[in-house]
Every structure is written in structure tokens, then in C-alpha cells.
């Protein structure tokens, strides 16, 4: 029954729809508390395999949730979905392939699904990550290369490319910092970032953005060439 409602995979039963929803929700919430408490112990004794079916349920239910979000309007539910809470609690114990699939699904969401919705009468430029955006930051900062036995560089390249494409649309400090730390840790990934990100960093001019720009210029001939052309176009008024 764990996240069976969210997976649309309920076991056979003879309960009414209302009772099914109540039972499934209560069972999943209680079991999540038990899993969160027992996961560190199971890791210490080398028995994380006992969590495998539960972690797979989290992966599949989160992917279903993201698919429905992708196909629907960008709305912020009043409460964080249970499967997203489970992901936030237990992602350190998930397999690298599961993390990769969920993270890339988050990165593929339209940017409006990752930030809180601004009131129409106060449209200001300040934007904040919602529960999905904060979860994305969690996953991107959990050192996926340590969790993947192989293919780590390919995974990082995909995540860096996706994150770099999101930054200009989001302009959120937390994600700027995530990309900066990733590129500092793995400078070889710099060429995976699109050239237009340098334009974003130079326009944004925060400490994190300018540090990203410096890394792009140091580690990528493509970005350096783009910057030289930008300087020529800017002319005497540069600065």
C-alpha cells in the first residue's frame, strides 16, 4: 500500500473510494516515518536492499507526479505531495539511476513549475523556489557522482546542461550556487554549459554569477571567444 494511491497501483480491495484514500494516505505517511527512522540504521549494517521496493515506489510515484505537472498548469498545491516528501527524506539512500531519472525529470519541467507564483499585482523580479525547485536543489547537491559507480561524468554533464538552460529563466540564487559548486568541483564539465549562460551571468552580476562567468572563461575556449566578441560589440562604453 505504500504510495500505491500515488502510483495508481492499489492492491485488490473491497473498500469504498473514500476509505481507500484515507487508508492509503494514513498507511503511506506512517510508513514514511518508519523508513526515515530506519534508513540510517539499515545503511550502517549494510542492509539498504530492504528499502529497494519502497525507494522504487517513491521513484515511480514522483515521476507520475512530474508527468502530470508537466502536462498541466503551473499551480502550487497547498500541501507538498506525500511522494515528494518521501523523496526529500529518502533520496540519500536511493540508487544513482533513480536519482538520475528523477533529477532529469525535474530539470525538464517548465521553469514556472519550479518557482512560487507571484501575485499579479506585485510582479517584482524576486523569485523563490517552490517545493519542486527546492527538491531539485537537494538532488543536485547530494554529490550524484559519489552514488554512481559508472557513468558519473555523463550524468553530471546532463544535469549541468539542463541546469544551465534553466538559470536564465529562473534567476534564483540557490540554483546559481548549485551550478557554481558543481563546476568548481568538476571544471571538465564547463563545455557542457551553453554559451548564452555567460550572457546571463554578466547581466546578473551577483557574486555567484560572476564566479560562474570566470570559470566559463578559464575552462572553455568557446565561452572565451564569445566573451571577446561581446567585448568588441560593447565598444568603448564597456565597463
Amino acid at each position: 500500500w505504500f504510495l500505491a494511491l500515488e502510483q495508481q497501483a492499489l492492491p485488490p480491495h473491497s473498500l469504498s473510494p473514500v476509505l481507500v484514500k484515507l487508508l492509503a494516505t494514513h498507511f503511506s505517511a506512517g510508513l514514511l516515518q518508519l523508513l526515515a527512522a530506519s534508513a540510517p540504521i539499515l545503511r550502517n549494517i549494510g542492509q539498504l536492499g530492504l528499502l529497494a521496493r519502497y525507494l522504487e515506489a517513491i521513484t515511480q510515484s514522483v515521476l507520475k507526479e512530474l508527468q502530470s505537472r508537466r502536462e498541466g498548469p503551473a499551480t502550487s498545491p497547498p500541501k507538498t505531495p506525500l511522494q515528494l516528501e518521501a523523496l526529500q527524506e529518502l533520496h540519500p539512500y536511493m540508487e544513482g539511476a533513480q536519482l538520475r531519472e528523477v533529477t532529469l525529470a525535474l530539470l525538464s519541467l517548465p521553469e514556472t513549475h519550479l518557482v512560487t507564483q507571484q501575485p499579479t499585482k506585485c510582479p517584482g523580479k524576486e523569485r523563490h523556489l517552490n517545493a519542486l525547485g527546492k527538491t531539485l536543489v537537494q538532488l543536485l547537491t547530494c554529490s550524484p557522482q559519489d552514488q554512481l559507480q559508472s557513468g558519473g561524468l555523463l550524468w553530471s554533464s546532463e544535469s549541468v546542461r539542463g541546469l544551465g538552460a534553466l538559470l536564465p529563466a529562473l534567476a534564483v540564487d540557490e540554483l546559481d550556487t548549485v551550478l557554481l559548486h558543481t563546476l568548481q568541483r568538476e571544471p571538465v564539465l564547463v563545455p557542457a554549459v551553453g554559451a548564452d549562460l555567460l550572457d546571463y551571468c554578466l547581466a546578473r552580476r551577483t557574486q555567484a554569477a560572476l564566479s560562474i562567468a570566470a570559470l566559463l572563461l578559464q575552462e572553455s575556449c568557446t565561452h572565451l571567444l564569445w566573451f571577446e566578441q561581446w567585448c568588441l560589440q560593447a565598444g568603448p562604453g564597456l565597463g
Side-chain angles (χ1 to χ4, degrees):
W1 283 84
F2 180 63
L3 295 177
L5 189 64
E6 289 75 9
Q7 295 181 85
Q8 300 174 2
L10 288 166
H13 63 84
S14 58
L15 302 173
S16 69
V18 174
L19 287 177
V20 167
K21 185 174 182 180
L22 289 173
L23 176 62
T25 301
H26 185 71
F27 192 99
S28 294
L31 189 51
L32 176 57
Q33 294 181 15
L34 176 61
L35 292 172
S38 60
I41 300 172
L42 292 174
R43 180 168 59 184
N44 289 340
I45 63 176
Q47 294 296 327
L48 275 180
L50 296 175
L51 298 180
R53 293 182 64 184
Y54 302 104
L55 298 179
E56 182 60 22
I58 293 171
T59 301
Q60 294 307 315
S61 58
V62 168
L63 291 175
K64 282 185 177 294
E65 171 72 11
L66 297 181
Q67 180 64 30
S68 66
R69 295 287 186 97
R70 192 178 297 110
E71 296 172 351
T75 57
S76 297
K79 185 178 179 181
T80 302
L82 185 59
Q83 62 269 48
L84 199 60
E85 289 185 21
L87 177 64
Q88 293 169 347
E89 286 278 358
L90 296 173
H91 73 269
Y93 311 98
M94 294 172 69
E95 294 181 359
Q98 293 171 327
L99 285 175
R100 176 183 181 277
E101 191 172 10
V102 171
T103 304
L104 292 179
L106 281 165
L107 285 169
S108 70
L109 287 174
E111 64 272 10
T112 52
H113 290 257
L114 299 172
V115 293
T116 55
Q117 301 302 305
Q118 295 286 347
T120 53
K121 58 184 178 182
C122 302
K125 294 184 179 180
E126 186 69 18
R127 310 183 82 181
H128 301 281
L129 295 173
N130 61 17
L132 287 173
K134 291 176 181 177
T135 302
L136 175 60
V137 171
Q138 275 189 304
L139 298 185
L140 289 170
T141 54
C142 73
S143 300
Q145 70 274 14
D146 296 336
Q147 307 212 18
L148 291 179
Q149 302 284 320
S150 61
L153 193 58
L154 175 62
W155 147 247
S156 298
S157 178
E158 288 181 282
S159 64
V160 164
R161 187 180 299 109
L163 182 55
L166 268 181
L167 289 190
L170 291 175
V172 174
D173 289 340
E174 295 98 319
L175 289 177
D176 291 350
T177 302
V178 168
L179 182 59
L180 173 61
H181 290 169
T182 301
L183 295 181
Q184 287 175 332
R185 189 173 60 237
E186 296 285 355
V188 71
L189 295 173
V190 167
V193 178
D196 58 336
L197 185 65
L198 184 57
D199 200 4
Y200 159 79
C201 291
L202 293 174
R204 187 154 169 75
R205 296 190 180 185
T206 62
Q207 182 175 352
L210 292 177
S211 296
I212 292 172
L215 273 171
L216 297 180
L217 296 178
Q218 292 169 13
E219 303 293 337
S220 170
C221 295
T222 301
H223 288 94
L224 181 58
L225 178 60
W226 184 96
F227 180 67
E228 291 173 350
Q229 293 176 335
W230 180 81
C231 290
L232 290 174
Q233 292 172 357
L238 181 64

